Amino acid sequence: FLQVVGRPHTVTGDRTEFFGRNGSWTKPAALDRKELSGRVGAAFDPCGAVQTKCTIPPGQTTEIAFLLGQAANRDDVNALLSHYSELTTVQRALDDARDSWDATLNTVQIETPSAALNLLVNRWLLYQTLSCRIWGRAGFYQASGAFGFRDQLQDSLALVYSRPELLRAHLLYAASRQYEEGDVQHWWHPPSGRGVRTRFSDDFLWLPFAAAYYVEKTGDSDVLRESVPFIQSALLEPHEHERYELPKPATTSATLYTHCVRAIENGLRFGDHGLPLMGCGDWNDGMSTVGIGGRGESVWVGWFLVDILGKFAPIAESMGESDRAAAWRAQRARLLEAIETQAWDGEWYRRAYFDDGTPLGSVHNDACQIDSLPQSWAVIAGGDPARARQGMEAAWERLVRLDDRMVCLFQPPFDKTDLQPGYIKGYLPGIRENGGQYTHAALWVIEAWARLGAGSRAMQLFELLAPQHHTDDDRRLDLYKVEPYVVAADVYGESPHRGRGGWTWYTGSAAWMYRVALEQLLGFRLHDRCLQMDPCIPAAWDTFTVTYRFNGATYRIQVENPAHVERGVKSVTCDGVECPLGAIPLAATSGEHEVRVTMGAKE
């Protein structure tokens, strides 16, 4: 419905009337008419236009409110129009909406020497994540409205500081899309729940990953005891790689913890090299035929499982399952050994093994010789420190393009090669996952450098990825072509399109950029109602501040770097009192608290 509040108006539902025959956006025919015709109904080229007239005396102002909305039926429409029939009601609703956004987006505010970092972290990244990825689930390039199992789980993690209740609710909702066997729907459409059952090897593992993160940050272990139903359908046949279907509600329910256990156990399936089976794809959907025969293996899923097993073994112990915790720790050790003995290529970690045992991500390949994922996750998951560092150095040398301001996913791209990794090869070289920058993965590269303590290098890469810096002169603006205020999912990596932005708005890169900036670069980390600061910043930085609003209290955190180190906290005080082990207790009461963090070597 379309309406003007409390004013006479005319309307049309006919686009041809509005623009005129052979009319244009620059001079619509409707602007030369006194009134619109009132034509609405079927068989028009549809539009919605409403016109009202007003006279504004010199020096005066006039407010006009237009309503655009949607409702289930005419009665609901009339109820909404009746409610918003006065300008004061409309203004109050607008103020409430702004207040709600302010409460969410202003929870954490930063001030650093990096203007790009400030602009993105203060509101924009979280706004992109919540409005587009979680609520809208649509963008200019995709208007699906679907939930992706792994997608919105990762997006929701960015809300742990400002809207933890939304993250909690989504954990339970995502768990309700898990089959009894432990796998999940790759994506589904509400409200019916119709979606796709697949053989992806990583989707279901994001549930325990996200659950462990939420419990660690909030201390809310009660969520693990919440009961959630399963869904059910016939298992995929051997010849089926995926199936679009409407699953049935299962008759069984289980705690969120049990859902996580089933996900992990479902992932403990290994191939000839002792690495996890890749199925019809892992994080990189486009590598859809690497393990399609049921024998291909994913090195990245190996690192992902190493990380998850390390996080979830203590949770299993806390839930009274010490035997399971011990088994998972043993499995983690075996998996680490398999990766180190079977996936090291000499200078970096390989990406995967095809069904026939051919390695991918090896110097011996003629495409995808080095992939950033296993290098960054070797650091994130806690692999061999020397090798992890060596792999990251190789990634810096071969994947980072300083002049083009991009970090490639892998190099070289697939083109004229005998390797058949899947539909990724259908992309032109350098486009999307095929050797361009996939920002999601590039942010993991930044996280890895921060974890290695290389603050200057990590911030250099962040500045590289910041969309503002792709449009800071006319040449780059004309090349990049997409919005400079939201994160792009990808940047093209090969001529003639090198440096052009791809898919914007609807990308999980926004949530990861927010978390990497806040948690890894600025070192802002919650842990069970305590806050710890462990920054990894350029040595040249003198200071930065973080303001955090928590349960009615405001924490003003001043970080000083007199020794000009990249990492290391010498002392932490809160309201003048030294904080043991650097842990800042978060008060349950209101008030303002002054936190001072001094970087440098501990005495």
Side-chain angles (χ1 to χ4, degrees):
F1 62 89
L2 185 61
Q3 177 69 290
V4 186
V5 176
R7 299 184 63 90
H9 58 273
T10 58
V11 302
T12 184
D14 180 0
R15 187 187 301 260
T16 302
E17 175 192 341
F18 185 83
F19 286 113
R21 189 175 183 84
N22 302 319
S24 71
W25 292 91
T26 58
K27 191 179 180 183
L31 298 187
D32 289 330
R33 298 194 181 110
K34 292 183 178 180
E35 294 182 342
L36 299 175
S37 69
R39 281 203 297 269
V40 295
F44 296 119
D45 181 10
C47 76
V50 58
Q51 179 193 65
T52 189
K53 302 174 183 179
C54 67
T55 300
I56 307 176
Q60 302 299 306
T61 63
T62 296
E63 289 190 352
I64 302 173
F66 295 87
L67 300 181
L68 175 66
Q70 178 179 328
N73 52 58
R74 285 179 179 270
D75 289 342
D76 289 351
V77 169
N78 290 330
L80 285 169
L81 293 179
S82 175
H83 179 73
Y84 292 107
S85 60
E86 301 289 338
L87 282 176
T88 53
T89 307
V90 173
Q91 186 61 57
R92 189 160 53 247
L94 189 58
D95 291 342
D96 288 345
R98 287 177 175 144
D99 290 345
S100 177
W101 275 113
D102 286 345
T104 298
L105 303 181
N106 292 341
T107 298
V108 180
Q109 292 285 288
I110 68 170
E111 186 176 348
T112 77
S114 169
L117 186 69
N118 299 342
L119 184 65
L120 290 167
V121 172
N122 294 337
R123 300 178 72 94
W124 266 115
L125 291 172
L126 209 55
Y127 177 78
Q128 181 177 352
T129 298
L130 185 54
S131 67
C132 184
R133 287 288 293 184
I134 295 175
W135 284 344
R137 299 189 306 284
F140 301 127
Y141 306 88
Q142 181 180 0
S144 73
F147 280 97
F149 191 89
R150 61 186 175 194
D151 297 341
Q152 275 72 38
L153 272 173
Q154 292 176 78
D155 297 331
S156 299
L157 299 182
L159 301 177
V160 73
Y161 306 107
S162 57
R163 299 293 299 275
E165 75 281 3
L166 294 183
L167 170 53
R168 190 184 201 275
H170 190 72
L171 282 172
L172 301 175
Y173 179 49
S176 75
R177 310 313 300 172
Q178 183 183 40
Y179 294 95
E180 293 173 301
E181 293 79 11
D183 60 323
V184 300
Q185 287 184 295
H186 184 57
W187 54 259
W188 68 92
H189 274 107
S192 70
R194 192 179 293 274
V196 181
R197 189 173 194 175
T198 73
R199 298 188 189 276
F200 274 91
S201 55
D202 73 310
D203 281 341
F204 46 86
L205 293 174
W206 289 101
L207 182 64
F209 179 89
Y213 177 89
Y214 171 81
V215 171
E216 176 197 356
K217 298 301 181 186
T218 65
D220 176 19
S221 59
D222 289 343
V223 71
L224 298 171
R225 298 173 178 83
E226 294 274 5
S227 182
V228 184
F230 291 98
I231 54 176
Q232 63 180 8
S233 73
L235 291 174
L236 293 175
E237 297 290 340
H239 67 278
E240 288 184 300
H241 306 309
E242 63 179 30
R243 182 201 302 136
Y244 179 66
E245 64 180 17
L246 178 60
K248 298 177 181 178
T251 57
T252 56
S253 297
T255 62
L256 176 62
Y257 170 74
T258 301
H259 279 264
C260 292
V261 169
R262 290 199 188 181
I264 293 172
E265 296 293 338
N266 187 52
L268 300 181
R269 294 172 293 149
F270 306 98
D272 294 340
H273 298 87
L275 303 172
L277 294 177
M278 188 158 179
C280 67
D282 56 12
W283 174 89
N284 194 329
D285 296 10
M287 292 183 175
S288 54
T289 60
V290 172
I292 201 69
R295 300 187 66 184
E297 300 160 275
S298 170
V299 176
W300 174 76
V301 174
W303 284 126
F304 194 35
L305 263 173
V306 165
D307 187 68
I308 291 169
L309 290 169
K311 288 181 168 70
F312 234 81
I315 292 177
E317 209 153 40
S318 71
M319 298 294 288
E321 293 199 322
S322 55
D323 289 346
R324 189 186 300 277
W328 281 350
R329 290 188 177 105
Q331 179 61 70
R332 182 179 185 274
R334 289 193 296 270
L335 188 50
L336 269 171
E337 183 180 3
I339 294 172
E340 298 294 354
T341 57
Q342 300 294 328
W344 181 248
D345 198 60
E347 294 184 61
W348 56 78
Y349 289 100
R350 295 170 180 169
R351 177 62 175 84
Y353 283 94
F354 285 86
D355 286 315
D356 65 359
T358 300
L360 180 62
S362 169
V363 70
H364 301 295
N365 296 137
D366 57 0
C368 190
Q369 292 178 343
I370 178 171
D371 189 303
S372 76
L373 257 68
Q375 320 318 321
S376 56
W377 276 83
V379 177
I380 295 169
D384 177 87
R387 283 184 171 181
R389 181 82 190 209
Q390 187 176 353
M392 288 299 297
E393 292 289 354
W396 179 273
E397 180 68 25
R398 297 172 66 107
L399 299 178
V400 175
R401 294 178 178 172
L402 297 177
D403 291 342
D404 295 323
R405 301 185 182 182
M406 62 188 302
V407 181
C408 295
L409 176 59
F410 61 74
Q411 280 291 305
F414 293 103
D415 190 11
K416 298 175 182 178
T417 169
D418 291 334
L419 294 173
Q420 299 298 330
Y423 78 76
I424 188 174
K425 198 173 178 180
Y427 292 130
L428 293 173
I431 302 297
R432 292 185 62 79
E433 292 101 327
N434 191 12
Q437 173 180 293
Y438 213 77
T439 312
H440 196 145
L443 288 159
W444 288 337
V445 174
I446 297 177
E447 175 169 351
W449 280 117
R451 286 176 179 263
L452 290 171
S456 297
R457 186 168 279 191
M459 183 56 65
Q460 184 180 6
L461 292 183
F462 186 92
E463 298 278 358
L464 223 63
L465 267 57
Q468 306 97 303
H469 292 165
H470 287 273
T471 56
D472 54 9
D473 61 44
D474 289 344
R475 184 186 69 84
R476 291 190 182 277
L477 178 66
D478 185 59
L479 177 65
Y480 190 56
K481 295 188 181 299
V482 295
E483 304 93 331
Y485 47 85
V486 292
V487 183
D490 57 313
V491 180
Y492 301 163
E494 299 293 330
S495 294
H497 306 298
R498 180 180 293 182
R500 178 171 298 183
W503 189 309
T504 60
W505 275 105
Y506 194 45
T507 165
S509 304
W512 274 105
M513 181 173 274
Y514 184 78
R515 287 186 51 217
V516 167
L518 198 58
E519 297 173 357
Q520 303 301 327
L521 299 179
L522 303 185
F524 180 92
R525 296 172 194 166
L526 287 183
H527 182 75
D528 192 10
R529 290 184 170 269
C530 283
L531 174 63
Q532 285 197 291
M533 295 294 296
D534 183 19
C536 184
I537 58 175
W541 281 19
D542 294 313
T543 184
F544 70 87
T545 61
V546 179
T547 302
Y548 177 44
R549 295 170 177 85
F550 176 81
N551 279 3
T554 298
Y555 294 82
R556 305 190 188 282
I557 305 162
Q558 184 80 34
V559 180
E560 304 286 350
N561 188 20
H564 291 284
V565 298
E566 292 190 324
R567 192 168 200 176
V569 173
K570 184 177 182 181
S571 65
V572 179
T573 63
C574 182
D575 297 330
V577 179
E578 190 79 21
C579 297
L581 304 177
I584 305 159
L586 298 178
T589 57
S590 60
E592 295 193 359
H593 305 273
E594 299 294 327
V595 177
R596 291 288 180 268
V597 178
T598 303
M599 297 180 66
K602 289 186 177 180
E603 296 178 355

